[in-house]
Amino acid sequence: MQRRNDAGRLVVSVHGEIDLMTCELLSTELGEATKQSPEVLVDLSGVSFLDSAGIRVLVEAHQTAARVGHQLCVDNAHGWVERVLEVTGVRELLARPQ
């Protein structure tokens, strides 16, 4: 994972698979990111696989950010990852505001 600032928001770029083996690391990273910035964008362009554990982490991070008045959304999902977000019904919840 990599972090960078982009126009006042913190972008967390994730690579590889988000599953039971990696979700704890992602949870920690997103928790820290939401403490550092009121707006966090999770860039999923480098993610090749996402399972239910990964969905849980993304939704929980979104909810945690919202509780303190911050925003967390995901962007650049493609292929399998985009389909999983869509099928689970969280695509719109985690979508980047227009």
Side-chain angles (χ1 to χ4, degrees):
M1 281 174 265
Q2 298 175 332
R3 289 190 210 177
R4 66 181 164 82
N5 286 308
D6 181 25
R9 82 172 58 98
L10 185 60
V11 178
V12 178
S13 298
V14 185
H15 303 279
E17 298 182 354
I18 303 175
D19 57 16
L20 189 58
M21 299 299 289
T22 61
C23 67
E24 187 174 331
L25 177 62
L26 179 60
S27 179
T28 301
E29 182 73 21
L30 296 181
E32 290 298 317
T34 57
K35 290 176 187 173
Q36 291 180 3
S37 178
E39 188 176 347
V40 176
L41 176 65
V42 182
D43 181 358
L44 299 177
S45 62
V47 176
S48 58
F49 180 80
L50 176 67
D51 71 4
S52 61
I55 291 290
R56 179 184 49 80
V57 167
L58 294 172
V59 170
E60 287 176 355
H62 173 81
Q63 292 170 338
T64 299
R67 277 195 294 275
V68 296
H70 291 187
Q71 180 181 56
L72 180 137
C73 57
V74 301
D75 201 13
N76 297 322
H78 59 87
W80 171 258
V81 175
E82 182 178 26
R83 181 73 178 135
V84 169
L85 292 172
E86 187 177 301
V87 167
T88 58
V90 299
R91 182 178 180 193
E92 286 187 33
L93 173 70
L94 300 174
R96 187 174 180 179
Q98 298 302 327

